[in-house]
Amino acid sequence: QQDLDAVFAALVRSALAQPAVYVHRDFMPRNLMVCEPNPGVLDFQDAVHGPIIYDVVSLMRDAFISWDEERVIDWTARYWEKAKRAGLPVDADFGEFWRAFEWMGLQRHLKVLGIFARINYRDGKPKYLGDTPRFLAYARPVAKRYRELAPLARLLDAVAPEVTRVDDR
């Protein structure tokens, strides 16, 4: 428990270290609308002031669509370059930006896994449990890449050893 608390504290510190901006919090392909001359954004009732990296993570690590890691890194690097040129307060070092991206994604996916578990156990609605492999498959590689997150990687390996990749459904 102490090790897991340290992981959670590290994720919180990483999120709080990000500049705070207006974030949609559910910025994903399903909530984008292409129309001329400007794109539209739907489902913005959860918008808050939060970490600048949150929405790009929501878009790239979507709940319903998965892209290969190389594509996500490429798109995220392109976003980072454009954000820097636009004067947005993103980290000047892409490596640090990517680490914050991965950790914010991990925090977000742990939150979703918790919500799905609550809906199942408290509300008796197991429907969302079918989506947990995608979130576990996002979380596990991130937890394995960073020493500070190793206790979480061990826990994920213990509770769901069979989940190793993301499958589109």
Side-chain angles (χ1 to χ4, degrees):
Q1 181 65 51
Q2 187 176 8
D3 287 343
L4 199 51
D5 288 344
V7 167
F8 293 155
L11 293 174
V12 168
R13 280 192 306 277
S14 178
L16 292 175
Q18 293 290 309
V21 297
Y22 178 78
V23 294
H24 184 275
R25 283 196 350 150
D26 207 7
F27 195 71
M28 59 185 185
R30 287 180 160 196
N31 288 332
L32 301 176
M33 189 170 62
V34 178
C35 52
E36 295 298 329
N38 299 308
V41 178
L42 307 173
D43 191 24
F44 50 84
Q45 73 273 6
D46 290 335
V48 296
H49 204 239
I52 191 169
I53 207 155
Y54 198 93
D55 282 344
V56 73
V57 170
S58 297
L59 186 60
M60 300 297 169
R61 296 283 191 227
D62 185 64
F64 305 100
I65 301 170
S66 298
W67 296 284
D68 62 76
E69 189 75 6
E70 294 79 19
R71 183 176 286 185
V72 170
I73 292 170
D74 179 59
W75 286 343
T76 304
R78 290 171 190 239
Y79 165 83
W80 171 75
E81 289 168 353
K82 288 180 180 183
K84 280 192 333 178
R85 281 195 303 272
L88 295 177
V90 295
D91 200 297
D93 177 69
F94 182 73
E96 287 302 313
F97 181 84
W98 181 251
R99 184 201 56 77
F101 172 96
E102 290 206 295
W103 287 34
M104 181 58 60
L106 180 59
Q107 180 276 333
R108 189 169 189 272
H109 294 115
L110 291 173
K111 175 188 76 169
V112 170
L113 288 165
I115 291 168
F116 288 176
R118 182 194 73 218
I119 290 170
N120 178 61
Y121 293 111
R122 184 194 72 189
D123 302 340
K125 298 177 182 176
K127 172 183 152 187
Y128 294 101
L129 291 182
D131 293 320
T132 58
R134 178 181 312 279
F135 296 97
L136 288 167
Y138 282 149
R140 177 177 278 116
V142 173
K144 288 181 180 275
R145 271 194 278 274
Y146 300 92
R147 181 176 23 101
E148 303 94 319
L149 307 177
L152 178 61
R154 288 190 299 274
L155 178 63
L156 292 175
D157 285 344
V159 299
E162 70 285 355
V163 179
T164 58
R165 63 186 181 87
V166 175
D167 289 320
D168 283 323
R169 297 179 186 262

